[in-house]
Amino acid sequence: MKKLLNLFDFSQKVNYKTEILAGFTVAMTMIPESLSFAILAGFPPLTGLYAAFIAGFVTAIFGGRPGLISGGAGATVIVLIALMKSNGLEYVFAAVALAGVLQILVGLFKLGKFIRLVPHPVMFGFVNGLAIVIFMSQLEQFKTVVNHETVWISGDPMYIMAGLTALTIAIVMLVPKLTKAVPASLIAIMTVFALVFFFGIETKTVKDIASISGGFPPFHIPNIPFNLGTLQIIFPYALIMGAVGLTEGLLTLNLVDEITGTKGNGNRECIAQGSSNILNGFFFGMGGCPMIAQTLVNLSAGSRARLSGVVASLTILLIILFGAPVIEKLPMAALTGVMIMVAIGTFEWASLRIVNKMPNHDVFVVVIVASITVLLHNLALAVLIGVVVSALVFAWESAKRIRAKKYVDEKGVKHYEIYGPLFFASTAVFAEKFDVLNDPDEVVIDFKESRIADMSAIEALNTVTLRYSKIGKKVHLRHLSPDCIRLLKNAETIIDINIIEDPNYMVVNVD
């Protein structure tokens, strides 16, 4: 019962002023982004804000770690654009809810631990690619639509937009040198807002993106046929959305772990994400996942507890219900400047400084993951390709490390002491170590410093023993694990395990 009630770490020291101000700052930066992604996907604008409120509130309370901010993220929304165009909004809601179910299953079966398989170069590529995506998305605020075509703004509007953005960046950079009592991002937003409001400066505002006025998220069962045909339509989208959300979420969780020096709970985060997406599907939200940009805004504002996420989500709800007329007047230049600074802070500049010290294959992984993230906006695919490439490189490098120490003892027995892992990539090198024709009648292959890792390795070992057997020579295999002994075919007449050296192993008698 204690674990069920321990939603917050009550032993954690909470700076309430910092948490509340950080929450306000996060809300200000999340609103335009959620609106933009909803409009990009062809959803009603409020579905983006509802997703920001629902995902933010649920994961702030039940999520895998304090400080992590969730909302209506572009990474998951992009997956659903094709479904929206082909089948409509009701199918989108159903897919979001199903994605939530799949994410909960991942958490319940404790599969979140597999994020450990993501190598550090993949993390570098993921973070750098996302930083570039965040920066590039801010450039869209310098464009407008003329005759159904998107063009760059020019003249005074461009100068005003650029000047206010530069002012915001300058405030964010300079304020921390003077005081850290209030988040620099919030000071920048309020300063530029006051400047535009009191001097009547004409510039792009939140209202130019969409109206954010509305009511409480309404309960809504997706109006779709509940049959196998519908499942076949929505399942692929739900699966990809769930995978993308968990990938971005767990990688962001790892990033926050590194920044704060604390440890989050990946499986708990999966369950929280899934729960928020189920609610999104039934309460008119477009779905979401942890948002790295807003998370970094939150951390840079000094937040280290769950309170800021709760404050941010409730602020968004209150703005939808009551504060829209004020928030719609926020200049986009202020929000753009804050997000540009987030992008600069997100980028792993250390990866550029050590690029000449990294192995070439790690540099390649960083570049390919970042490129896929930027070009396709598909974080799951980028990370998957990065992991596969890293695994193949590791397999190749490990295959080259297998070696054998050879000597003949006083009894005339040839010994092969194997070093390095024996697996699918190293089997060919392993087979080349043996001089079957010229070896004496008795040979010992010792695996004390090696490990047989897979079926390819077992088959390679079986092939070597058969080669010796066919010309009447005896082979003793030592320090093999019981599972390998059971799987070795045709080994009963040629395998001998030294029980003195290996008392825990079964013995196969030699006739």
Side-chain angles (χ1 to χ4, degrees):
M1 180 61 70
K2 185 178 179 182
K3 286 187 177 179
L4 291 175
L5 295 175
N6 188 23
L7 301 179
F8 292 86
D9 181 5
F10 292 108
S11 64
Q12 182 182 13
K13 244 184 168 180
V14 177
N15 186 322
Y16 289 96
K17 185 187 77 170
T18 298
E19 294 296 319
I20 292 171
L21 292 176
F24 288 154
T25 307
V26 168
M28 295 303 102
T29 60
M30 191 183 292
I31 287 171
E33 188 165 346
S34 298
L35 286 173
S36 298
F37 285 129
I39 294 168
L40 173 67
F43 304 154
L46 277 176
T47 62
L49 295 184
Y50 288 152
F53 161 62
I54 295 170
F57 187 76
V58 172
T59 58
I61 296 176
F62 299 101
R65 64 153 305 110
L68 197 64
I69 300 295
S70 294
T76 52
V77 172
I78 289 171
V79 173
L80 301 172
I81 292 177
L83 180 61
M84 177 66 185
K85 290 181 178 178
S86 61
N87 295 89
L89 191 61
E90 298 296 330
Y91 281 80
V92 168
F93 291 144
V96 169
L98 181 56
V101 173
L102 297 176
Q103 289 175 327
I104 288 177
L105 291 175
V106 170
L108 290 177
F109 286 102
K110 301 187 183 301
L111 301 179
K113 60 188 177 184
F114 287 106
I115 198 67
R116 300 172 192 164
L117 297 177
V118 178
H120 212 65
V122 175
M123 280 287 290
F124 272 152
F126 161 77
V127 171
N128 290 350
L130 209 52
I132 295 171
V133 169
I134 293 171
F135 178 80
M136 296 298 291
S137 66
Q138 301 316 304
L139 298 182
E140 295 300 313
Q141 304 305 330
F142 291 87
K143 296 179 181 179
T144 188
V145 177
V146 178
N147 297 327
H148 305 290
E149 289 187 8
T150 302
V151 297
W152 291 92
I153 58 176
S154 58
D156 290 341
M158 171 61 85
Y159 300 138
I160 292 172
M161 184 76 177
L164 293 175
T165 301
L167 175 62
T168 304
I169 292 172
I171 293 173
V172 172
M173 293 176 65
L174 294 175
V175 165
K177 298 178 180 179
L178 302 176
T179 178
K180 294 185 179 179
V182 181
S185 299
L186 185 59
I187 292 176
I189 291 171
M190 299 313 297
T191 300
V192 174
F193 174 72
L195 189 66
V196 169
F197 181 79
F198 288 111
F199 286 92
I201 299 174
E202 290 290 331
T203 187
K204 188 176 183 180
T205 63
V206 170
K207 189 174 184 179
D208 294 324
I209 299 178
S211 173
I212 61 174
S213 179
F216 194 84
F219 178 72
H220 172 74
I221 298 176
N223 185 20
I224 57 172
F226 289 90
N227 54 38
L228 185 60
T230 300
L231 182 63
Q232 290 175 336
I233 293 172
I234 67 174
F235 184 78
Y237 294 97
L239 183 63
I240 296 173
M241 177 189 171
V244 169
L246 291 183
T247 301
E248 181 166 2
L250 293 175
L251 288 178
T252 305
L253 185 143
N254 278 1
L255 185 63
V256 178
D257 286 351
E258 289 185 12
I259 293 173
T260 61
T262 55
K263 183 67 176 173
N265 187 324
N267 293 314
R268 180 172 169 177
E269 182 62 34
C270 294
I271 295 174
Q273 275 193 51
S275 302
S276 73
N277 277 325
I278 291 176
L279 288 175
N280 265 301
F282 288 99
F283 282 90
F284 224 76
M286 67 181 185
C289 68
M291 304 173 74
I292 190 170
Q294 277 66 34
T295 298
L296 292 171
V297 167
N298 190 42
L299 296 178
S300 65
S303 171
R304 292 296 182 271
R306 295 178 183 272
L307 182 59
S308 61
V310 175
V311 170
S313 58
L314 292 178
T315 299
I316 290 172
L317 178 62
L318 290 174
I319 287 170
I320 295 171
L321 297 176
F322 310 110
V326 175
I327 300 302
E328 286 175 354
K329 295 179 181 178
L330 277 179
M332 286 304 302
L335 303 176
T336 299
V338 168
M339 296 307 293
I340 287 175
M341 288 304 297
V342 168
I344 293 172
T346 302
F347 195 90
E348 286 282 2
W349 299 100
S351 62
L352 298 181
R353 292 195 296 270
I354 64 173
V355 67
N356 59 337
K357 301 175 183 177
M358 296 170 64
N360 290 334
H361 53 79
D362 282 345
V363 175
F364 175 72
V365 169
V366 172
V367 172
I368 195 170
V369 172
S371 300
I372 295 173
T373 302
V374 172
L375 297 176
L376 302 181
H377 290 201
N378 191 330
L379 303 180
L381 178 63
V383 171
L384 177 61
I385 290 178
V387 170
V388 169
V389 172
S390 297
L392 291 175
V393 170
F394 173 78
W396 179 258
E397 293 297 321
S398 298
K400 296 190 294 186
R401 289 190 174 90
I402 193 164
R403 61 194 191 280
K405 180 181 177 182
K406 309 170 189 177
Y407 65 91
V408 179
D409 64 18
E410 64 276 5
K411 296 180 180 179
V413 178
K414 180 74 171 285
H415 290 257
Y416 288 88
E417 293 183 356
I418 307 301
Y419 295 83
L422 180 58
F423 64 112
F424 68 91
S426 60
T427 53
V429 178
F430 171 76
E432 295 172 357
K433 302 294 182 184
F434 300 95
D435 188 359
V436 178
L437 294 177
N438 298 319
D439 278 348
D441 292 337
E442 194 167 359
V443 173
V444 174
I445 306 177
D446 192 336
F447 286 90
K448 185 177 181 180
E449 301 296 333
S450 181
R451 171 66 184 167
I452 295 176
D454 58 14
M455 192 62 203
S456 297
I458 292 172
E459 187 58 37
L461 184 55
N462 188 56
T463 300
V464 169
T465 58
L466 284 176
R467 286 168 60 194
Y468 280 105
S469 180
K470 285 179 180 178
I471 58 176
K473 297 181 180 181
K474 183 186 290 186
V475 177
H476 305 272
L477 302 179
R478 289 182 180 166
H479 295 106
L480 284 173
S481 58
D483 56 330
C484 296
I485 297 171
R486 286 193 300 270
L487 291 173
L488 281 169
K489 300 181 300 181
N490 305 320
E492 291 85 353
T493 59
I494 56 172
I495 295 180
D496 178 29
I497 305 299
N498 190 323
I499 194 169
I500 297 176
E501 295 183 9
D502 308 298
N504 294 326
Y505 291 131
M506 296 175 61
V507 177
V508 181
N509 293 324
V510 179
D511 294 331

